[in-house]
Amino acid sequence: MTPRAARKFTILDSMILVAALACGFALHRAANSVMESEPGLVGPTSAPGIVRHLRQVMEWGYPILVALTLAVLVLRLRRPRPRWRRLLRQPGMVACCAAAVPIALSLVGLWRLIGVLPRPEPSFATMPPPRYFRIIEVQVPPLGEIFGEMACTIGLWVFGAWLILILAQRWCPERSAIDRLGRIVGNGWILMPVVHAVSMVID
Amino acid sequence: MRTSPRCLDLWDAVILIVATAAGFEAWLVAIGFLGDPPWRRNPAVDRAMHLLMPLLFAWTLALPALRLRRPRPRWRGLFRQPGMAACAVALAVLICTLIGTAQSWSIHQFRPMPVTPFPPRWMSSAWAGRLPPLQQLGRLLYYDGLGSTWAGPAICGAWLTMALGGWWRPERSAIDRLGRAIGVVWIVLSLGVLATLAWPGTSRWIHYPMAF
């Protein structure tokens, strides 16, 4: 049986991608409302400057990659698509499937973390808190470090999935835009632990 | 053609005993020479890791050696066995982590100790600035390299891929069962560490500067 031609990239696919990117930016904004970003760059060629650069890469990379991963999964599952067994030999699809589980876990963790942090006060809150409340100061690391650690775990899931695909000789990439996008997303996730490690070494 | 699974023989037992002895030796050296572990996360999780890590690392090294002795399945079939897959992936991650840790030590060994609520990874071994260089390297490799538990997520990814792709082929043999057990322990350790990340009360991300 000759392999079926790969599905073309349609306007609906690009709309799904744009919507996913918007969700990624919304996720960054929601997290940034209770956790601080890295402070502004000071001396970008110095060691602290490079570390801040790398943490900003992780801060923006995590939400964008989360959004793209879920979008590629949706695109890949739209018909017409190859059979399930063939689909799970494509590195792009494997990367997105492997990343989906830790993404769900990390989002639950992020939700819980946001739950214990103090919310920003609305502008109309002029009354002081009642005296029987105890004020607790909470310190968390910058958003880039938290996202970096989460992205590390996801990157390792993708690394394990791709390594076993290669070792078992089941790496069969498809010559299509969707699988290429999936491979780019997978490479992005695998780069995250590297970026995280480099930032820790320089720090 | 499917070959019947190989039984454990005397050489396999010797390899396993040597690996276990090496693991215990590393643990004893760590207790005597490297000092107390840096309690970065939940103390119970850290204590379990401190005991298990050298043994687990030794067995992760030993199992591929057992599996690669003849008679063995073909290369493709070898990595469809979850035990061998877990050990191969864990080994790759551990080697990368140990190299990265040694690299960070070589860069930072002469730096003064920073004062910060979120110390960088290379500083997690508490008195890195005050110990002799060899001891610093030992602490970093033992507590931060082996104790990073980065192997667990990679094993999860590999096993998920095998299960979803329909090529999860466990062998009814002691060697593959041991490999699966090693994979499960790596995953449980990683889950223990993950649970201490964002959970209030045990989180290492949330710091409460005021006593309350």
Side-chain angles (χ1 to χ4, degrees), chain B residues 59-74:
Chain B
W59 286 335
T60 307
L61 272 174
L63 197 107
L66 298 189
R67 187 68 285 184
L68 291 174
R69 286 188 60 224
R70 290 172 194 277
R72 57 168 187 255
R74 288 171 59 201

Side-chain angles (χ1 to χ4, degrees), chain B residues 50-98:
Chain B
H50 179 213
L51 282 171
L52 268 174
M53 280 304 158
L55 275 178
L56 212 51
F57 183 58
W59 286 335
T60 307
L61 272 174
L63 197 107
L66 298 189
R67 187 68 285 184
L68 291 174
R69 286 188 60 224
R70 290 172 194 277
R72 57 168 187 255
R74 288 171 59 201
W75 189 257
R76 285 172 70 110
L78 212 58
F79 290 102
R80 293 182 190 184
Q81 294 181 3
M84 181 63 181
C87 288
V89 168
L91 212 53
V93 172
L94 282 170
I95 288 169
C96 293
T97 312
L98 290 177

Side-chain angles (χ1 to χ4, degrees), chain A:
Chain A
M1 194 175 76
T2 53
R4 205 186 294 178
R7 184 167 75 78
K8 290 260 173 66
F9 202 78
T10 63
I11 292 183
L12 186 58
D13 293 336
S14 47
M15 284 169 72
I16 291 171
L17 270 185
V18 171
L21 279 176
C23 292
F25 289 127
L27 173 65
H28 179 268
R29 199 186 170 116
N32 205 10
S33 66
V34 287
M35 284 177 267
E36 283 182 16
S37 289
E38 277 294 324
L41 291 175
V42 184
T45 49
S46 62
I50 294 169
V51 170
R52 285 175 188 173
H53 262 307
L54 293 175
R55 287 205 180 132
Q56 281 184 341
V57 167
M58 290 186 286
E59 183 181 324
W60 283 100
Y62 171 81
I64 290 172
L65 284 175
V66 164
L68 285 179
T69 303
L70 302 179
V72 172
L73 265 183
V74 172
L75 298 188
R76 189 65 283 188
L77 292 176
R78 282 188 62 220
R79 289 173 194 278
R81 57 168 188 256
R83 289 173 59 199
W84 186 246
R85 289 177 78 96
R86 187 168 287 275
L87 213 57
L88 282 165
R89 287 183 182 195
Q90 294 179 6
M93 177 65 175
V94 166
C96 293
C97 281
V101 179
I103 282 175
L105 293 176
S106 71
L107 288 178
V108 171
L110 193 64
W111 182 259
R112 286 197 63 98
L113 193 62
I114 289 174
V116 296
L117 294 179
R119 301 275 189 290
E121 283 186 16
S123 56
F124 52 82
T126 51
M127 295 281 285
R131 262 190 295 175
Y132 51 81
F133 279 147
R134 186 178 289 177
I135 296 171
I136 300 169
E137 284 179 20
V138 179
Q139 256 187 318
V140 287
L143 194 53
E145 207 173 317
I146 293 174
F147 277 177
E149 197 131 346
M150 289 173 165
C152 260
T153 309
I154 301 169
L156 288 166
W157 277 66
V158 176
F159 174 76
W162 275 9
L163 184 65
I164 207 63
L165 214 59
I166 292 167
L167 286 176
Q169 299 170 1
R170 292 196 155 233
W171 180 277
C172 304
E174 192 187 65
R175 292 169 66 88
S176 70
I178 298 173
D179 192 50
R180 275 196 200 108
L181 188 60
R183 271 178 276 158
I184 290 169
V185 170
N187 279 313
W189 281 125
I190 289 176
L191 266 181
M192 281 293 176
V194 178
V195 172
H196 189 55
V198 170
S199 80
M200 284 192 302
V201 167
I202 297 173
D203 193 9

Side-chain angles (χ1 to χ4, degrees), chain B residues 83-144:
Chain B
M84 181 63 181
C87 288
V89 168
L91 212 53
V93 172
L94 282 170
I95 288 169
C96 293
T97 312
L98 290 177
I99 290 172
T101 310
Q103 187 67 33
S104 75
W105 170 79
S106 68
I107 292 173
H108 287 291
Q109 58 170 322
F110 303 113
R111 270 204 193 176
M113 188 187 296
V115 181
T116 162
F118 306 106
R121 183 182 203 81
W122 64 276
M123 275 303 305
S124 64
S125 312
W127 342 256
R130 299 175 216 160
L131 290 174
L134 197 63
Q135 217 164 339
Q136 284 177 30
L137 179 64
R139 282 183 68 81
L140 282 167
L141 288 181
Y142 189 85
Y143 294 124
D144 296 288

